[in-house]
Amino acid sequence: MCKWMMICLISLLSLQLQAQSGFKPVTDLQGVKREFAKAAQQTQSIQCDFVQEKNLSMLSDKIVSKGKFWFKRDNKVRMEYQQPSYYLLVMNGKDIRIKDNQKESKVSGKNNKLFEQINKITVDCVRGTVLDNADFTTKAFENAQHYRLEMVPVNKAMAGYFRMITLLVDKKDFTVASITMAEPSGDDTNISFLHKQVNANIPDAVFMVK
């Protein structure tokens, strides 16, 4: 009896939290895909600040990092962590470069499935094709300001890295407001994108590692 009461209470709490957030299932997913793709066609570049919060089950406090993000067609991404320490990730097509202080390394997206997926999701978000990613089963929800896309891996390899990836997409311009990567261990990482500038002039040199 107690077990079933607990299940009912958990279910009720879940429904209450969903109601409080104001999110409800998207009824016209194809319409969202069309609007997403239309907005993406008009997006040539994005630059913004970001705040990353990593929750580790073994630590009581969040690990907070801050930095800057750039995107430019086609397939050019730069994430520059500036606080609390310097870390640089540049993705240019299939080539991925990482720089940690003075150490630089080159990673091939073709040979590293994790980086390949991160690259693909990042680019798909800006292209407006993230809902067509066959490596995930995606559920879409909406409220007045945002779409929430819950992406669950469909293959064992990706499921080893992610339990679910949740994207919060701004309805006014279809840019990503935040991305949350939940790991099977219970740890998760949330990245919020702030002060976004769309279609600003970004030199190609930004995507070169010096």
Side-chain angles (χ1 to χ4, degrees):
M1 183 68 177
C2 291
K3 179 180 178 181
W4 285 110
M5 287 181 65
M6 183 63 70
I7 293 174
C8 290
L9 285 171
I10 292 173
S11 299
L12 180 60
L13 179 61
S14 176
L15 289 172
Q16 288 176 338
L17 289 173
Q18 183 170 338
Q20 289 171 2
S21 68
F23 282 96
K24 59 183 180 180
V26 170
T27 55
D28 184 12
L29 187 58
Q30 293 303 317
V32 173
K33 286 184 178 182
R34 288 193 296 270
E35 291 299 318
F36 210 154
K38 181 180 177 181
Q41 288 298 318
Q42 300 171 2
T43 303
Q44 300 300 316
S45 68
I46 296 175
Q47 65 181 42
C48 63
D49 300 325
F50 72 84
V51 177
Q52 176 179 296
E53 297 181 335
K54 189 168 183 64
N55 296 292
L56 300 175
S57 55
M58 65 182 68
L59 298 176
S60 57
D61 295 329
K62 298 177 181 178
I63 300 174
V64 180
S65 304
K66 297 180 180 180
K68 294 188 176 294
F69 172 90
W70 294 265
F71 166 86
K72 185 177 182 180
R73 289 185 181 271
D74 282 314
N75 297 10
K76 294 183 175 70
V77 175
R78 179 186 179 106
M79 288 192 74
E80 184 176 311
Y81 291 78
Q82 299 175 337
Q83 300 176 24
S85 58
Y86 185 83
Y87 184 85
L88 178 65
L89 172 65
V90 175
M91 295 181 283
N92 196 334
K94 289 291 184 179
D95 291 326
I96 301 169
R97 291 184 180 272
I98 298 170
K99 188 174 183 180
D100 185 355
N101 292 325
Q102 300 302 316
K103 184 179 179 181
E104 179 185 340
S105 59
K106 182 177 180 180
V107 180
S108 172
K110 295 178 181 179
N111 299 324
N112 190 304
K113 290 296 182 182
L114 176 59
F115 279 112
E116 182 181 15
Q117 279 299 330
I118 292 174
N119 188 19
K120 180 175 175 57
I121 291 169
T122 303
V123 173
D124 280 352
C125 285
V126 186
R127 283 182 170 178
T129 55
V130 69
L131 287 166
D132 298 317
N133 192 328
D135 293 318
F136 294 85
T137 298
T138 302
K139 293 181 180 180
F141 304 86
E142 65 178 323
N143 65 11
Q145 292 81 33
H146 297 100
Y147 290 108
R148 189 178 72 211
L149 309 180
E150 298 180 354
M151 306 171 63
V152 178
V154 297
N155 63 68
K156 291 183 179 179
M158 287 309 301
Y161 293 113
F162 306 117
R163 179 174 55 82
M164 183 167 68
I165 295 176
T166 304
L167 301 175
L168 201 63
V169 179
D170 199 323
K171 276 189 170 182
K172 69 176 184 291
D173 57 9
F174 283 86
T175 59
V176 176
S178 69
I179 177 171
T180 302
M181 294 168 281
E183 302 172 22
S185 64
D187 299 342
D188 67 76
T189 302
N190 176 266
I191 303 175
S192 298
F193 299 96
L194 311 169
H195 314 127
K196 288 174 285 188
Q197 298 180 50
V198 179
N199 292 335
N201 184 25
I202 303 176
D204 287 337
V206 169
F207 305 96
M208 297 176 61
V209 179
K210 298 180 181 178

